[in-house]
Amino acid sequence: MDWIPNFLLPFFYAVTMIVAVMTIAGYSVLAERKVSGWIQHRVGPNRTALPIVGSIPIIGPFLTKLGIFQPLADGLKFLFKEDIMPGHVRKGYYFAAPIIALVPALTTMVVLPFGQYVDADGVTQPLVLANVDIGILFILAVSSLGVYGIVLAGWSANSKYPFLGGIRSSAQMVSYELAMGLSILPVFMWAAAPGADYGLSLYGVVRSQDGLWLGIWQPISAMIFLIAVFAESNRLPFDMAESETDLVGGFHTEYGSFKFGLFFVAEYAHIVIGSAVFVLLFMGGWNFLPFVASPWPDGVIGAVLSVLWFLFKIFAMIFFFIWVRWTLPRFRYDQVMRLGWNILLPLAVGNLIFNALLIAIHDRL
Amino acid sequence: MSADAKAETITINVDGVDREVPKGANLIDAIEQLGEEIPHYCYHPKLSVVGNCRMCLVELGMPMRDRATGEPVLDDDGVQKIGWMPKPGIACSTTVAPGMHIKTKSQVVKDCRNGVMEFLLLNHPLDCPICDQAGECRLQEFATDYGRGYSRYTEAKNVKPKRTRIGPRIMLDDERCILCSRCIRFSKEIANDDVLGFIDRGSYSTLTTYPGKQLENNYSLNTVDICPVGALTSTDFRFKMRVWFLKAVPSICTESSVGANTEVWSREGKIYRITPRRNDAVNDTWMTDSGRALYKQVEADNRLRAYQVDGKASSFDAAIAAAIAQMKQGKTAVVASARASLEEQFLLSQMVEATAAVRVDMVSHYGDGDHLLLSEDRTPNLRGALLTGLINDLPDARLDGLGKAIDAGEVDTLFVVHEDLAAAGLTDAQIAKVKVIYAGIEENSSSANAKVSFPLLTVFEKEGSFVNQNFRVQKFHNAIPAPRGVVYDLHLLETLRAHMVGESPTRPTVPAVWELMAQKITCLHGLDFRGLGDLGVGVDAGRFASLPFVESKNLKHDPEKRSKLGVEAGATA
Amino acid sequence: MAKTKVLERKPLSLAERTYLPQIASGLKTTLGNMLKPNVTLQYPEERPVIPENYRGVPTLVRDPEGREKCVSCQLCEFVCPPKAIRITPGEISEGSDTEHVEKAPEEFEINMLRCIYCGLCQEVCPEEAIFLQDIFSVSGYSREEMINKKDKLYELGGTLPDRHRKWDKKKAAEINGPAHH
Ligand code: SF4
Ligand code: SF4
Ligand code: SF4
Ligand code: SF4
Ligand code: FES
């Protein structure tokens, strides 16, 4: 009966993970609407009520006011809307595009560690579906596949606005992928000294931030990475792919109902994953605070606490994403390109060389 | 006539500018021809002048001459001095004279008008919102130009009766009357029915009818037209629609061969009233009350509205096919109509040729004339039928000749336009003996027995022309759309003709038919539909001038003169 | 011609060129706004205060005696830019209390699918019979429902005070005024 731990358990974990990420994505939509509302002196969604839960005395109205049930309603709406199929689209690709957009976003989380567990023997184990050594490479490789969804959507919709959206998005992805990759090299150069365990593993990076967070002593890397994450996840001020003022809706102009819903979720899944990676790389993962030893006790309780702390940081990042959205206006497309190629890329290269020299000097001493 | 008038002009000086005006003209008319207006209420070009409203005051002057020597009096610059009258004078009782100077825009004149307006408005009710005249009211118009905008009169206004029926078709609102006496003069001078008059004096003056009489002659509604305010209103039009929503389309009255020029006022395909249109050669500015009611035929209950074959509604194409099949079967006779327009009669004559009809008959509709604007011939276009060659002689009131032909079996099919066969003297047996194809506006005995019926359009729903008692060709225009699904009469006739000779039918327009007519009909040579203008064109009666038409002398028709002229013209032609 | 003055644009400082301080101050602004109280009106439960002279749904009003003020002069029908108004004028039958007014609408329709709430009808009405009042939300399930008929218009309009009492004065004058035989 090997197959239970070997097969069923990972499957169960994976499903749990997907559910968790999707839930977080769903609630980041809610968060987006709520925070947008607050920033604009509004209240955001506060009317959707579940039949029974909503009528529990104090709690029900409170949850309703918070809009807790709104994502449910949104999801149901997407599910039950009439699925309109424009006559002029390239059907196969048209259907494939939203799936291609979502799948990479969900795949990357396989290698995302989200906490630690100190077992009875005092051995610290990462909480991760697959603690692969090349975690960050995997993430970079797979998450950038997501752009195929957008490009395909733009092309298969067979009309000009989506097409322009798709083109913009692919160009933007290429430009920022480069800076992003280069920006995190110094991190790993520091985190994983030659011969150390976990060369490119995210778990290793988190471990190395036990005291000092990388974001503090690699601010340039952190900044470049952050900007690149914004760009990669097509968030404002980089949402060139769907900029509604000039492209109607961009790549998803011709999409509606559930297919649009998939794009929508994929975007938020990207944000969640992006935030998670940023937290892992630069904000110490589940480590408590810089220069403060994590107070997590051993055992299950410590594991849960570490996971919660990690989630808290992710939520902070998501909030930051939303906050930026309502602060910065959208860039012009040429500005996006200039920022990517003329500023971020040289900066990343310079940062890499600088750190390499620093490491060389450090090693000599 | 117009050429004469142009030849004889004189020069007067209006507001410092020398202008040419017709000799002997009334000053108000003369100024109007120059495109300007002297405000006036009581003056009417076709009525006698009374000068009681004082609205038309202008400053008048003549070049000065020394009384003793008759020499012109010159001023320092050597220009003849103008002797201005010390007080303004009324333009309506002034005939233009050579060298006359008038001022219509001076301060004095304006003050006069302001004063007259203030007096007229003293006791005038604030009725414009409920007054039918609003929108075409001279008092409103001049009040905006010369009124003071508020009233200085703080006393109680006069109260007078507001709903007096002074005739079967006319309602009088005394408060609105400005006592111009136009209506009185019209009744006396034009309608020869002197029933109106003022009683009482000062601000109690009231218009009223002679005790025991009413304003009920057949011209009474003209008083409504000429009343410059809303004192007289037509009970038929009263409170029906505001005039500013109405579209006026020039038309011709079909009541009799006088062919009074009219305007048809409609909104969104519904006619609300008919008013006369000035044409000094035909009807001056008048028309009959009975003629104004003719628009009711548009929505009459007995209107034929659908194409019918054997009494059942059918499509236009099916009706045409049935009619053609019927006419091709045997000998066809045509009963034409003097109610059809000139163009329709022309196309009918073409159809007669195409079907090789055995005979063409026509029915006369004669009645009593009133020697004014209702002539004895109650059809608008008898002369058109003559000109187009549809008939060669005056029609009879009964179709006896046709009846005999039917009895003799010479006719299998009757194509009837407008006429009622039973009323025209055919017996039931005779009607039963032939197959009837009927085209007309109303349902009647012809349509009841018809194998095929084609609905035709009223004069308001199409355009075309009529030839009146004086051989004057006058055109009418399309005022409202035809009933749904009914084609133009011309299109119907052309389709029938074309099918009879195996051509494919066109959709003839009136101007296109006129091009053909101008070629084929001698007296229409050189004319076209547009060229008829709004006032029509008189044509040479040719050989028909000597026919014994029934019209006696009326407002603009003199049979003596006409037949003499015609004989002469015919002799020379 | 106005004089054009070309202003030199100040070159950006290094800090400004990185945009980072600006972004930071922007973030501060938005955060500040987030902490301020919101201004949302919970609409169906809370109703906005309708200011006087608000231009809501056009309605017909009666005078304090309950007489319908409109005399169907059709000026509003004429002035209405989108042709939303349609009036069938009618006569007040003799013998009624208000026979001296003579005219009243037989039917009066305002098509709220066409009305643009411009208020010209109110402006033009010589009888002060039509008012755009405080109703701002109209809905219906069919086009017909959106056409307000005369009854509905009077129901919506209610009664407004009348400063002029033109027709009352007129009637009084008829009864007591300068005698006419
Ligand atoms: S007559 Fe003229 S001014 Fe007098 S109430 Fe009627 S429209 Fe108004
Ligand atoms: S009723 Fe009319 S036309 Fe007759 S006197 Fe009065 S204002 Fe003149
Ligand atoms: S303007 Fe006033 S009185 Fe005239 S029809 Fe309109 S609402 Fe009635
Ligand atoms: S408010 Fe304007 S659009 Fe509406 S009915 Fe009145 S005039 Fe017409
Ligand atoms: S028009 Fe001359 S006095 Fe009336």
Side-chain angles (χ1 to χ4, degrees):
Chain A
M1 295 288 275
D2 259 3
W3 61 273
I4 293 184
N6 284 354
F7 183 72
L8 216 53
L9 220 50
F11 182 76
F12 172 71
Y13 288 149
V15 169
T16 317
M17 190 80 176
I18 288 183
V19 169
V21 170
M22 294 295 265
T23 312
I24 297 176
Y27 277 89
S28 17
V29 177
L30 173 67
E32 172 110 75
R33 294 175 63 178
K34 273 290 186 192
V35 173
S36 316
W38 293 332
I39 288 181
Q40 295 164 4
H41 301 180
R42 295 186 282 109
V43 287
N46 67 343
R47 299 238 160 205
T48 323
L50 267 195
I52 296 167
V53 188
S55 44
I56 300 174
I58 300 170
I59 306 176
F62 176 73
L63 292 182
T64 306
K65 263 202 130 162
L66 263 188
I68 292 296
F69 311 118
Q70 187 68 33
L72 256 176
D74 287 352
L76 282 178
K77 185 193 78 173
F78 276 136
L79 260 180
F80 290 114
K81 264 181 131 176
E82 183 188 355
D83 197 5
I84 290 171
M85 175 82 171
H88 52 74
V89 298
R90 300 182 169 91
K91 298 225 165 53
Y93 301 106
Y94 179 77
F95 274 118
I99 301 170
I100 294 179
L102 184 61
V103 166
L106 294 183
T107 309
T108 45
M109 70 198 180
V110 170
V111 297
L112 272 187
F114 46 86
Q116 66 178 15
Y117 172 65
V118 185
D119 63 13
D121 307 336
V123 181
T124 312
Q125 299 269 356
L127 292 178
V128 64
L129 288 183
N131 184 18
V132 287
D133 225 5
I134 51 161
I136 188 65
L137 273 190
F138 183 83
I139 287 182
L140 286 184
V142 174
S143 72
S144 48
L145 286 180
V147 73
Y148 282 105
I150 291 178
V151 173
L152 262 190
W155 174 74
S156 70
N158 207 2
S159 78
K160 57 193 166 199
Y161 292 124
F163 186 64
L164 285 173
I167 287 184
R168 283 184 180 189
S169 154
S170 53
Q172 182 179 325
M173 199 63 87
V174 170
S175 328
Y176 283 82
E177 195 78 27
L178 223 51
M180 183 190 239
L182 289 177
S183 74
I184 52 173
L185 274 184
V187 172
F188 284 91
M189 279 157 52
W190 284 108
D197 281 350
Y198 314 126
L200 289 177
S201 139
L202 288 164
Y203 179 60
V205 175
V206 175
R207 289 293 298 270
S208 76
Q209 298 182 65
D210 222 353
L212 182 59
W213 290 3
L214 275 168
I216 294 172
W217 83 282
Q218 288 291 348
I220 297 188
S221 289
M223 196 186 73
I224 297 175
F225 185 79
L226 188 64
I227 294 175
V229 167
F230 268 96
E232 297 265 297
S233 56
N234 278 325
R235 287 288 298 184
L236 244 122
F238 291 99
D239 67 337
M240 307 315 299
E242 51 174 289
S243 84
E244 67 285 337
T245 39
D246 45 345
L247 291 188
V248 187
F251 65 93
H252 59 60
T253 304
E254 307 284 351
Y255 281 88
S257 70
F258 197 61
K259 292 199 286 297
F260 170 76
L262 286 182
F263 275 122
F264 202 59
V265 171
E267 183 184 329
Y268 281 91
H270 261 118
I271 296 171
V272 174
I273 303 287
S275 310
V277 173
F278 186 79
V279 169
L280 289 173
L281 289 183
F282 297 102
M283 287 172 63
W286 48 85
N287 289 315
F288 184 51
L289 285 176
F291 310 116
V292 178
S294 304
W296 319 135
D298 290 356
V300 178
I301 298 180
V304 170
L305 281 178
S306 72
V307 171
L308 287 181
W309 187 239
F310 179 61
L311 282 181
F312 172 76
K313 284 184 181 173
I314 290 185
F315 285 137
M317 274 310 292
I318 290 175
F319 172 75
F320 182 71
F321 265 91
I322 299 168
W323 185 13
V324 166
R325 170 174 182 183
W326 295 109
T327 304
L328 296 184
R330 178 182 297 129
F331 288 132
R332 246 178 15 232
Y333 193 63
D334 62 320
Q335 292 169 327
V336 172
M337 285 292 114
R338 209 171 54 225
L339 181 65
W341 291 102
N342 287 3
I343 299 175
L344 291 190
L345 186 60
L347 202 60
V349 172
N351 187 35
L352 177 63
I353 293 172
F354 173 73
N355 275 293
L357 286 177
L358 219 58
I359 289 176
I361 294 168
H362 178 268
D363 285 354
R364 284 285 147 75
L365 294 178
Chain B
M1 214 178 92
S2 56
D4 297 346
K6 208 163 252 163
E8 286 211 44
T9 59
I10 57 171
T11 305
I12 64 169
N13 185 293
V14 183
D15 297 318
V17 184
D18 283 343
R19 311 290 294 262
E20 298 281 307
V21 296
K23 186 179 170 197
N26 181 289
L27 187 50
I28 291 188
D29 289 343
I31 298 292
E32 190 177 322
Q33 281 176 23
L34 299 176
E36 288 168 31
E37 184 180 34
I38 298 178
H40 57 276
Y41 290 115
C42 68
Y43 174 74
H44 189 281
K46 299 292 173 188
L47 299 176
S48 63
V49 175
V50 289
N52 66 6
C53 74
R54 317 313 284 181
M55 190 65 194
C56 62
L57 287 169
V58 290
E59 284 189 84
L60 296 162
M62 288 300 284
M64 256 199 213
R65 282 177 187 278
D66 192 294
R67 272 181 207 229
T69 61
E71 288 296 305
V73 181
L74 303 182
D75 64 7
D76 299 344
D77 298 338
V79 184
Q80 195 171 8
K81 270 195 184 169
I82 306 300
W84 291 101
M85 290 188 199
K87 287 182 189 170
I90 51 174
C92 62
S93 70
T94 307
T95 307
V96 292
M100 175 186 264
H101 278 58
I102 68 164
K103 287 189 198 161
T104 64
K105 296 184 177 125
S106 68
Q107 192 54 44
V108 174
V109 173
K110 272 185 198 148
D111 289 345
C112 288
R113 292 174 185 169
N114 290 350
V116 171
M117 276 315 296
E118 188 163 16
F119 274 120
L120 283 178
L121 292 173
L122 265 194
N123 278 311
H124 199 80
L126 283 170
D127 266 357
C128 299
I130 57 166
C131 177
D132 267 334
Q133 192 80 3
E136 52 182 11
C137 174
R138 307 300 278 167
L139 196 61
Q140 266 186 335
E141 286 165 23
F142 297 138
T144 48
D145 293 346
Y146 304 107
R148 107 184 353 259
Y150 64 93
S151 176
R152 294 190 285 179
Y153 189 69
T154 50
E155 291 76 9
K157 284 194 179 192
N158 249 354
V159 179
K160 289 187 188 179
K162 288 190 74 74
R163 281 199 215 193
T164 318
R165 258 184 183 261
I166 59 167
R169 292 174 289 278
I170 299 199
M171 191 76 101
L172 165 69
D173 185 323
D174 259 311
E175 284 184 354
R176 296 179 195 150
C177 173
I178 57 167
L179 305 169
C180 71
S181 83
R182 272 184 177 186
C183 52
I184 300 174
R185 280 174 282 148
F186 172 82
S187 304
K188 183 174 174 183
E189 295 162 15
I190 309 290
N192 295 317
D193 184 22
D194 193 5
V195 294
L196 291 179
F198 293 137
I199 53 167
D200 297 331
R201 301 204 298 178
S203 54
Y204 296 120
S205 286
T206 310
L207 178 75
T208 190
T209 51
Y210 188 82
K213 291 209 172 177
Q214 279 197 317
L215 179 59
E216 57 190 348
N217 63 61
N218 196 25
Y219 291 86
S220 63
L221 284 173
N222 289 301
T223 60
V224 175
D225 297 330
I226 58 173
C227 179
V229 293
L232 298 178
T233 47
S234 145
T235 48
D236 182 42
F237 178 63
R238 192 173 154 89
F239 298 161
K240 288 286 183 334
M241 190 48 66
R242 296 311 237 172
V243 289
W244 52 72
F245 289 118
L246 301 178
K247 177 183 72 172
V249 175
S251 187
I252 300 294
C253 180
T254 55
E255 191 187 17
S256 72
S257 60
V258 168
N261 289 207
T262 60
E263 262 172 346
V264 177
W265 301 74
S266 66
R267 180 186 189 198
E268 294 171 0
K270 180 169 160 46
I271 300 178
Y272 285 89
R273 66 171 180 183
I274 299 178
T275 57
R277 176 163 55 95
R278 182 170 176 175
N279 188 340
D280 290 347
V282 180
N283 57 327
D284 286 346
T285 55
W286 323 118
M287 74 180 288
T288 57
D289 290 1
S290 38
R292 295 176 199 246
L294 289 182
Y295 74 88
K296 294 191 171 148
Q297 66 183 343
V298 172
E299 288 178 3
D301 290 338
N302 65 347
R303 180 98 195 259
L304 182 62
R305 286 193 174 80
Y307 297 95
Q308 289 178 357
V309 178
D310 294 326
K312 282 187 213 62
S314 82
S315 69
F316 173 69
D317 293 332
I320 290 282
I324 296 293
Q326 181 59 41
M327 287 199 286
K328 282 192 172 161
Q329 263 172 27
K331 287 167 296 219
T332 304
V334 171
V335 179
S337 169
R339 295 197 167 116
S341 74
L342 186 60
E343 298 77 13
E344 288 152 24
Q345 287 169 340
F346 177 72
L347 284 194
L348 184 64
S349 72
Q350 306 257 301
M351 199 194 98
V352 165
E353 257 171 55
T355 45
V358 286
R359 55 185 294 146
V360 178
D361 293 85
M362 203 166 204
V363 187
S364 67
H365 297 271
Y366 296 148
D368 290 337
D370 64 2
H371 308 296
L372 200 49
L373 287 173
L374 182 66
S375 68
E376 286 77 359
D377 182 357
R378 293 296 161 74
T379 57
N381 202 20
L382 176 61
R383 284 153 180 85
L386 292 167
L387 290 186
T388 50
L390 210 48
I391 51 172
N392 280 312
D393 209 344
L394 293 182
D396 293 327
R398 292 171 58 85
L399 292 169
D400 292 338
L402 180 63
K404 283 203 194 84
I406 293 175
D407 289 337
E410 288 164 20
V411 177
D412 301 313
T413 307
L414 260 188
F415 186 86
V416 185
V417 182
H418 287 309
E419 299 299 348
D420 185 333
L421 291 176
L426 289 194
T427 62
D428 289 349
Q430 284 165 336
I431 296 177
K433 216 172 158 199
V434 290
K435 294 277 189 228
V436 175
I437 301 170
Y438 171 73
I441 297 173
E442 300 163 352
E443 289 169 343
N444 54 24
S445 75
S446 312
S447 67
N449 298 305
K451 179 168 169 51
V452 186
S453 307
F454 296 100
L456 293 187
L457 301 177
T458 64
V459 66
F460 312 108
E461 293 154 338
K462 60 189 179 187
E463 62 176 2
S465 52
F466 292 132
V467 185
N468 86 342
Q469 57 183 359
N470 290 338
F471 282 91
R472 191 179 186 84
V473 188
Q474 312 190 89
K475 62 180 177 179
F476 55 90
H477 292 279
N478 203 341
I480 56 170
R484 181 187 292 234
V486 178
V487 303
Y488 282 112
D489 301 359
L490 292 180
H491 180 50
L492 168 69
L493 293 168
E494 160 68 9
T495 309
L496 287 171
R497 182 202 66 82
H499 280 305
M500 285 310 288
V501 295
E503 290 173 16
S504 63
T506 58
R507 279 183 178 253
T509 60
V510 172
V513 175
W514 262 87
E515 272 175 36
L516 271 181
M517 284 201 299
Q519 286 166 16
K520 295 215 172 165
I521 301 173
T522 332
C523 61
L524 299 181
H525 277 333
L527 284 177
D528 62 19
F529 187 63
R530 267 189 77 173
L532 294 180
D534 278 343
L535 298 181
V537 172
V539 298
D540 183 2
R543 64 198 164 90
F544 303 115
S546 52
L547 287 179
F549 290 112
V550 291
E551 285 92 351
S552 57
K553 188 167 165 26
N554 58 32
L555 188 65
K556 301 284 172 180
H557 179 71
D558 189 345
E560 302 286 314
K561 222 165 99 196
R562 171 51 66 178
S563 60
K564 242 184 269 151
L565 270 179
V567 171
E568 279 162 25
T572 52
Chain C
M1 278 291 279
K3 242 198 190 152
T4 326
K5 192 171 169 198
V6 181
L7 294 176
E8 281 299 317
R9 196 180 265 247
K10 263 198 287 170
L12 298 179
S13 70
L14 182 67
E16 278 168 345
R17 265 189 290 163
T18 61
Y19 294 116
L20 293 180
Q22 274 65 35
I23 290 176
S25 82
L27 288 173
K28 208 177 98 199
T29 308
T30 33
L31 194 67
N33 274 311
M34 185 171 150
L35 300 177
K36 283 186 191 151
N38 65 53
V39 295
T40 305
L41 190 80
Q42 295 295 337
Y43 168 63
E45 295 92 24
E46 296 171 33
R47 293 285 175 153
V49 180
I50 304 293
E52 230 171 280
N53 300 332
Y54 182 82
R55 295 205 308 250
V57 172
T59 59
L60 290 178
V61 304
R62 296 178 182 276
D63 75 359
E65 265 83 63
R67 181 186 70 83
E68 57 176 318
K69 293 179 86 179
C70 172
V71 297
S72 63
C73 72
Q74 296 184 288
L75 280 177
C76 50
E77 180 175 4
F78 182 66
V79 81
C80 178
K83 299 199 187 307
I85 303 182
R86 178 144 286 254
I87 299 169
T88 315
E91 189 167 357
I92 299 180
S93 53
E94 272 169 74
S96 101
D97 277 354
T98 51
E99 68 167 326
H100 61 297
V101 187
E102 294 190 66
K103 215 179 158 192
E106 202 170 288
E107 187 46 90
F108 197 119
E109 287 176 4
I110 302 184
N111 187 341
M112 292 317 296
L113 295 168
R114 281 180 162 247
C115 176
I116 55 171
Y117 301 89
C118 63
L120 287 183
C121 48
Q122 174 176 343
E123 191 100 338
V124 81
C125 179
E127 299 285 330
E128 303 193 349
I130 190 165
F131 279 89
L132 277 73
Q133 298 194 46
D134 55 359
I135 305 165
F136 55 85
S137 126
V138 273
S139 54
Y141 290 104
S142 64
R143 285 179 171 265
E144 288 69 45
E145 260 175 80
M146 298 301 285
I147 299 175
N148 286 342
K149 298 270 163 39
K150 188 175 144 182
D151 296 344
K152 177 95 180 284
L153 288 168
Y154 276 119
E155 189 189 314
L156 295 177
T159 298
L160 285 189
D162 185 347
R163 281 185 294 133
H164 307 298
R165 315 301 284 265
K166 164 177 158 189
W167 294 103
D168 295 347
K169 286 180 195 158
K170 178 109 196 171
K171 193 165 192 176
E174 239 167 72
I175 298 168
N176 321 316
H180 186 274
H181 326 246

